[in-house]
């Protein structure tokens, strides 16, 4: 009896420590990032985030062009992915038969699990040539008067990064949106139908309106993934430290610059500047994730009967 | 003079292979309240869900037989279920106002579905519906608050107002008070008695006293079959069938 009790207590302690470690890891990581970026903070302060010169030769570091690259490539990804993802989610939750739904859900989670380097490889050798030879010249022909589609079509550029990211975040946004749609209770759907709504009208008034907050959460979660995604983006974005409105221009993101330059960072200030970018990424993705989880949680739990 | 508003004729219904209604026939009279009683699982909810064609939205659900609304079978091929549902409103067991809509929008939503654009017309219809549902005085200062902030009984009256805004001829109540406290229940019952002046009402209820209080006619269903239908008074005081008597006496159910 005494022995059993001891085993229970031991087990409890071990699991408690394990749970604590995960929390400690986050805190330690955060502290480490702050400490390591200290040098850069003392040299550049917050100006770091609004200057775009990134020149290791003269030891001048500013992250604006990477912030710009991260924001634009992620927004581009959302622009492409959100309509497709919501279409997938609506189809799965409202129209697909049970079998098809299960099958497609498995496919979606498989897609989400593919290592990003594979997407990058595909991006370089398949997507980029198609963009360079067909899609970008075509876009230029039609929308060439817009600044977004000017310049030499290069293939490895902001557009490629946006497209790769859109593919990578679609499983996330669609599967979470599907869960959110499915959490809308049956009695709200029936309330809509009982008012004489068609299926589409019912979806609009009962499903979409009710699920809106959770869907925004799913989109923000996708945004977090897009901002943090490193490998595939680094492989296709062209890695140029410039701000250009043209989507055909190579660019760089917060994540890609770290992946690209950590090996060349030979001075303390250079390393510190990279850590500061790391801290920025960490901070932004953690905040986005917390916010997104909160929105999703508050929608899906509210209607649990 | 009794006028038949709705006639349920030889109605059978299934969920997949499971038959939940067996050849049920009941006349529903205009401007009267008909109660449907019976133990859980006897098919009472399914029966009223067949009257606004809501049964068929469940995958693999099937209906046979006729439901004549003013003499016209609502299961005829040329009948649009959406039109049926506008004429035959429904109030559900759990109050289910749309949670992201205001009180006003909850009542207005049906009108907007019908393409009503005239803001003044929407405004006056919403207010009338809220008045008819006996809710207006309680919510007139917070029409633009969320409906889900109301009490359960108020939410249920909001759902009734939402139905009334479409000017239905028949209103189906599916155990409307089972989630409510006695005071809210009394308000809903008073409301039903008021509403029958202009509507034909069918109420499914678990609560026999409720059936006795609000209805003129009662149908007793058991295991998917209609055991007895008649004046509520005679069903409760002199049931013809033994099964009905046993149920009324509380021997099962």
């Amino acid at each position: 009896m005494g022995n059993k009790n001891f085993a229970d207590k031991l087990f409890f302690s071990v699991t408690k420590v394990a749970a604590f470690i995960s929390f400690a890891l986050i805190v330690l990581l955060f502290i480490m990032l702050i400490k390591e970026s200290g040098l850069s903070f003392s040299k550049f302060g917050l100006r770091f985030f609004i200057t775009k010169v990134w020149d290791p030769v003269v030891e001048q570091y500013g992250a604006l062009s990477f912030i710009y690259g991260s924001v634009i490539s992620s927004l581009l990804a959302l622009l492409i992915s959100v309509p497709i993802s919501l279409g997938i989610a609506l189809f799965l939750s409202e129209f697909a038969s049970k079998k098809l739904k299960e099958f497609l859900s498995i496919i979606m989670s498989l897609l989400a699990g593919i290592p990003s380097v594979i997407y990058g490889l595909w991006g370089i050798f398949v997507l980029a040539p198609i963009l360079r030879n067909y899609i970008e010249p075509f876009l230029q022909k039609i929308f060439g008067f817009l600044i977004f589609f000017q310049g030499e079509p290069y293939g490895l550029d902001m557009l490629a990064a946006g497209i790769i990211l859109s593919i990578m975040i679609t499983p996330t946004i669609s599967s979470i949106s599907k869960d959110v749609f499915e959490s809308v209770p049956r009695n709200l759907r029936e309330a809509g139908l009982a008012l004489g709504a068609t299926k589409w009208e019912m979806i609009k008034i009962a499903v979409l309106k009710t699920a809106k907050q959770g869907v925004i959460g799913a989109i923000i979660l996708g945004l977090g993934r897009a901002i943090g995604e490193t490998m595939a983006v680094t492989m296709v974005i062209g890695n140029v430290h410039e701000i250009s409105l043209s989507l055909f221009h190579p660019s760089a993101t917060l994540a890609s610059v770290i992946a690209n330059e950590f090996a060349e960072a030979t001075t303390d200030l250079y390393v510190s500047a990279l850590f500061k970018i790391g801290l920025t990424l960490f901070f932004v993705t953690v905040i986005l994730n917390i916010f997104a989880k909160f929105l999703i949680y508050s929608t899906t739990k509210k209607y649990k009967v | 003079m009794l006028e038949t508003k709705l006639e349920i004729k030889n109605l059978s219904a299934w969920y997949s292979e499971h038959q939940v209604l067996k050849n049920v026939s009941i006349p529903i009279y205009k401007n009267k309240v008909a109660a449907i009683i019976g133990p859980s699982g006897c098919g009472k909810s399914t029966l009223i869900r067949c009257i606004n064609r809501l049964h068929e939205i469940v995958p693999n659900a099937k209906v046979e037989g006729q439901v004549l609304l003013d003499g016209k079978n609502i299961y005829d091929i040329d009948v649009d279920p959406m039109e049926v549902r506008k004429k035959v409103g429904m109030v559900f067991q759990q109050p289910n106002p749309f949670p992201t809509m205001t009180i006003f929008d909850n009542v207005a939503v049906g009108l907007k579905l019908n393409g009503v654009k005239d803001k003044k017309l929407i405004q006056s219809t919403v207010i009338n519906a809220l008045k008819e549902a006996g809710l207006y005085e309680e919510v007139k200062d917070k029409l633009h608050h969320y409906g889900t902030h109301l009490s359960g009984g108020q939410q249920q009256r909001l759902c009734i107002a939402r139905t009334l805004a479409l000017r239905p001829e028949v209103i189906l109540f599916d155990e409307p008070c089972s989630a409510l406290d006695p005071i809210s229940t009394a308000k809903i019952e008073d409301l039903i008695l008021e509403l029958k002046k202009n509507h034909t009402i069918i109420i499914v209820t678990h609560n026999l006293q409720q059936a006795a209080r609000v209805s003129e006619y009662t149908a007793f269903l058991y295991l998917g079959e209609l055991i007895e239908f008649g004046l509520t008074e005679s069903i409760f005081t002199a049931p013809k069938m033994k099964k009905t008597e046993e149920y009324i006496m509380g021997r099962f159910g």
Side-chain angles (χ1 to χ4, degrees):
Chain A
M1 192 63 192
N3 262 346
K4 251 190 183 168
N5 217 341
F6 174 73
D8 264 5
K9 272 187 182 154
L10 182 72
F11 184 66
F12 175 69
S13 309
V14 170
T15 50
K16 195 169 154 189
V17 168
F20 178 74
I21 285 176
S22 64
F23 177 70
L25 273 178
I26 288 202
V27 174
L28 287 175
L29 194 60
F30 191 50
I31 293 173
M32 185 272 290
L33 285 169
I34 290 178
K35 189 172 147 282
E36 295 291 337
S37 46
L39 188 60
S40 171
F41 265 108
S42 63
K43 188 98 201 283
F44 306 115
L46 292 175
R47 230 167 16 96
F48 184 77
F49 300 108
I50 50 168
T51 51
K52 61 179 183 180
V53 179
W54 181 271
D55 191 345
V57 179
V58 296
E59 294 263 78
Q60 277 301 317
Y61 300 103
L64 188 62
S65 68
F66 311 123
I67 294 172
Y68 177 82
S70 283
V71 168
I72 299 300
S73 60
S74 304
L75 289 184
L76 197 58
L78 289 183
L79 197 68
I80 301 169
S81 170
V82 167
I84 297 172
S85 299
L86 295 189
I88 294 172
L90 272 184
F91 174 72
L92 289 180
S93 74
E94 308 299 321
F95 298 99
S97 67
K98 215 174 153 205
K99 271 191 185 151
L100 187 60
K101 181 166 24 179
E102 275 167 18
F103 175 71
L104 289 175
S105 298
I106 292 171
I107 296 287
M108 288 314 238
S109 55
L110 286 181
L111 274 179
I114 294 178
S116 61
V117 67
I118 296 177
Y119 285 104
L121 209 56
W122 175 80
I124 288 183
F125 292 106
V126 180
L127 178 65
I130 293 175
L131 284 177
R132 180 169 58 236
N133 297 327
Y134 305 104
I135 295 177
E136 291 183 354
F138 173 75
L139 286 172
Q140 203 157 45
K141 219 166 109 189
I142 299 178
F143 301 109
F145 58 93
L146 292 169
I147 185 128
F148 311 114
F149 303 105
Q150 287 170 2
E152 184 66 27
Y154 182 55
L156 293 170
D157 49 26
M158 187 73 97
L159 185 61
I163 291 174
I164 283 274
L165 283 175
S166 73
I167 296 170
M168 296 180 73
I169 64 176
T170 294
T172 307
I173 301 181
S174 55
S175 69
I176 294 173
S177 302
K178 183 203 82 174
D179 292 346
V180 173
F181 290 149
E182 283 181 340
S183 75
V184 174
R186 205 179 75 168
N187 70 8
L188 289 184
R189 295 161 194 272
E190 291 188 345
L193 291 174
L195 289 172
T198 61
K199 181 143 188 176
W200 173 236
E201 289 169 335
M202 180 279 283
I203 288 173
K204 270 200 300 191
I205 61 172
V207 181
L208 290 179
K209 238 181 139 77
T210 310
K212 195 165 82 186
Q213 208 186 13
V215 169
I216 292 173
I219 292 170
I220 292 174
L221 209 59
L223 176 65
R225 274 211 64 184
I227 287 181
E229 173 50 41
T230 309
M231 198 61 217
V233 174
T234 310
M235 288 167 84
V236 301
I237 201 166
N239 301 300
V240 171
H241 309 163
E242 277 169 28
I243 293 179
S244 166
L245 283 175
S246 171
L247 301 178
F248 299 166
H249 199 279
S251 182
T253 68
L254 291 167
S256 76
V257 72
I258 298 178
N260 247 323
E261 303 192 7
F262 73 93
E264 317 157 9
T266 45
T267 68
D268 288 346
L269 188 58
Y270 199 168
V271 172
S272 182
L274 288 179
F275 266 110
K276 198 170 175 182
I277 289 183
L279 177 68
T280 314
L281 259 183
F282 179 87
F283 196 70
V284 170
T285 47
V286 165
I287 296 289
L288 285 179
N289 273 306
I290 291 173
F291 187 48
K293 293 262 157 73
F294 167 75
L295 288 176
I296 295 163
Y297 182 85
S298 64
T299 317
T300 51
K301 289 292 170 281
K302 189 163 24 175
Y303 307 117
K304 282 267 148 67
V305 186
Chain B
M1 183 48 200
L2 276 181
E3 188 184 328
T4 307
K5 177 72 184 171
L6 200 80
E7 195 169 4
I8 301 162
K9 260 174 112 176
N10 307 323
L11 194 75
S12 296
W14 289 259
Y15 290 107
S16 303
E17 299 304 310
H18 177 58
Q19 187 169 5
V20 281
L21 283 181
K22 295 167 189 164
N23 208 25
V24 172
S25 300
I26 306 173
I28 305 290
Y29 303 116
K30 193 173 178 180
N31 295 51
K32 303 283 176 200
V33 179
I36 300 171
I37 59 170
S40 297
C42 69
K44 11 183 230 307
S45 285
T46 305
L47 177 61
I48 61 166
R49 289 167 63 93
C50 288
I51 300 174
N52 66 347
R53 295 193 60 173
L54 210 55
H55 176 65
E56 66 204 48
I57 67 165
V58 179
N60 301 318
K62 198 175 82 173
V63 182
E64 269 175 22
Q66 294 184 322
V67 175
L68 305 173
L69 177 63
D70 295 321
K72 167 78 177 163
N73 183 12
I74 64 166
Y75 283 97
D76 276 350
I77 281 199
D78 61 339
V79 174
D80 178 357
M82 270 61 95
E83 292 307 313
V84 174
R85 292 175 196 147
K86 285 169 190 168
K87 279 190 209 157
V88 183
M90 187 166 200
V91 176
F92 295 80
Q93 188 169 1
Q94 286 286 337
N96 55 358
F98 296 115
T100 52
M101 287 186 202
T102 63
I103 293 171
F104 185 94
D105 286 342
N106 259 291
V107 184
V109 65
L111 297 171
K112 288 179 186 161
L113 285 178
N114 276 314
V116 180
K117 294 246 161 58
D118 182 350
K119 284 211 169 126
K120 271 193 184 144
L121 180 63
I122 292 178
Q123 177 92 17
S124 63
T125 313
V126 167
I127 288 171
N128 274 333
L130 284 168
K131 280 181 180 161
E132 282 175 65
L135 188 61
Y136 184 68
E137 288 305 316
E138 289 158 61
V139 301
K140 63 181 174 191
D141 299 323
K142 45 181 177 181
L143 289 177
H144 296 286
H145 292 207
Y146 287 118
T148 40
H149 292 173
L150 299 171
S151 74
Q154 288 173 322
Q155 287 191 26
Q156 196 61 300
R157 278 179 282 146
L158 177 60
C159 294
I160 293 173
R162 177 173 69 187
T163 303
L164 289 173
L166 286 176
R167 307 257 136 259
E169 296 160 20
V170 179
I171 305 177
L172 310 170
F173 287 87
D174 188 0
E175 301 196 38
C177 302
S178 65
L180 304 182
D181 62 83
I183 294 172
S184 305
T185 300
K187 283 187 181 160
I188 303 270
E189 288 178 6
D190 290 344
L191 188 55
I192 288 173
L193 294 176
E194 190 62 37
L195 289 176
K196 75 173 179 184
K197 290 177 189 160
N198 294 313
H199 304 83
T200 302
I201 289 168
I202 305 175
I203 176 171
V204 162
T205 178
H206 237 97
N207 179 334
L208 295 178
Q209 284 81 19
Q210 182 168 64
R213 284 192 297 263
V214 300
S215 72
E216 282 105 343
Y217 290 85
T218 294
F220 171 55
L221 288 188
Y222 183 64
L223 298 178
E225 286 178 78
L226 177 70
I227 305 295
E228 192 168 348
F229 171 80
L231 281 167
T232 299
E233 209 185 322
S234 31
I235 294 270
F236 278 87
T237 54
K240 293 191 187 71
M241 308 297 288
K242 196 159 186 306
K243 206 82 213 169
T244 315
E245 190 183 340
E246 282 174 4
Y247 183 68
I248 303 283
M249 305 298 265
R251 298 230 182 98
F252 67 95

